[in-house]
Amino acid sequence: MRTDNDIYRAIQDYVRADDNIRAAILNGSRANKQVAADKYQDFDIVFFVRDIDIAKISPLRESFFGIPVLQQCPDDMLLGNEGMPPRAAYTLLMIYEDGHRIDLTLFPLTYFASDYRHDSLTIPLADKDGLFADTAPADESSYFITPPDARLFAETANEFWWCATNVAKGLARHEITCAKAMTEDVIRPVFMQMLDWKIGCTCGFNLSTGKNGKYLSRYLTTDEMQTVLNTYSDADPENNWRALFLMCELFREYQTVTAEISGFEINTRECDASVHYLRNIYKTARIDKKSG
């Protein structure tokens, strides 16, 4: 079975053997010293190429990496790209028999000046033309929490308090799939955003909680983390109600801390009206259930 170092050597050997590839960089968790390494990490690699069409079909790649057992080429798919303009870059997602996964992006040099956006989690692996000669040591700064302004803060709160009522309607109608989708797709993101701001206000904004909050436990106590986890529910309606009311309680806590430290005002009438509406819907739904 190949080791991680075997993969890195294969990447560097491949770049040396192919004049079309002018540079290769590593992004993602493997470039992040704050993340504990494990066997599930992807190799997030970017090749900077002269001719992207040649790079797409290069048979040389398989001689260094092997033939993937599972592959996706998202830029060739209609799914997820409906109505979207073509991207300059091209991505190949590949999993190999030994379990290693390489997420390879091909980036055309002709678009380097106009379209390339530097990621602070970047480690150059090969650089034939000095494109990354001035690259600073990799850090998380591209992913640090961004402090809100008053308008964004207010609109994020409004989104939560308004859309929470749609979760309640779904639960009252016994439309569990709809209520779950509204919870996870709509109010969960703004809930997590307010939690990020609360963490930024109390711990400093020069930190990252990771994609979808995967590093939250760095900044929360064990009890705080467990309370956040308790906002995730199964498909039981009563458990969903319980999780919804807990989300409201926590959101208001995070909202209050963020407002006090940032000097923002809170629309308390909005918060109170939403919770009052939820409680009325819950009460009515329980009465209907008993009478039915």
Side-chain angles (χ1 to χ4, degrees), residues 2 12 16 24 31 45 47 84 118-119 136 154-155 263 266 277:
R2 294 179 296 181
Q12 291 170 325
R16 278 193 291 268
I45 306 296
F47 286 167
M84 300 292 291
H118 179 69
D119 187 318
E155 291 180 356
I266 294 179
Y277 181 90

Side-chain angles (χ1 to χ4, degrees), residues 3-74:
T3 66
D4 291 352
N5 285 334
D6 292 334
I7 298 294
Y8 286 123
R9 279 195 295 270
I11 291 169
Q12 291 170 325
D13 289 345
Y14 179 39
V15 173
R16 278 193 291 268
D18 192 338
D19 190 58
N20 186 40
I21 306 171
R22 307 310 301 165
I25 61 174
L26 174 72
N27 295 140
S29 64
R30 287 184 178 272
N32 190 348
K33 293 181 179 179
Q34 303 300 317
V35 176
D38 66 31
K39 60 186 177 182
Y40 304 111
Q41 287 177 301
D42 306 335
F43 290 84
D44 295 303
I45 306 296
V46 184
F47 286 167
F48 296 85
V49 300
R50 288 172 172 161
D51 190 321
I52 195 167
D53 292 324
I54 290 176
K56 287 180 186 179
I57 61 174
S58 176
L60 187 62
R61 186 163 50 245
E62 292 182 358
S63 67
F64 284 93
F65 301 150
I67 299 175
V69 295
L70 186 62
Q71 179 170 293
Q72 185 179 86
C73 300

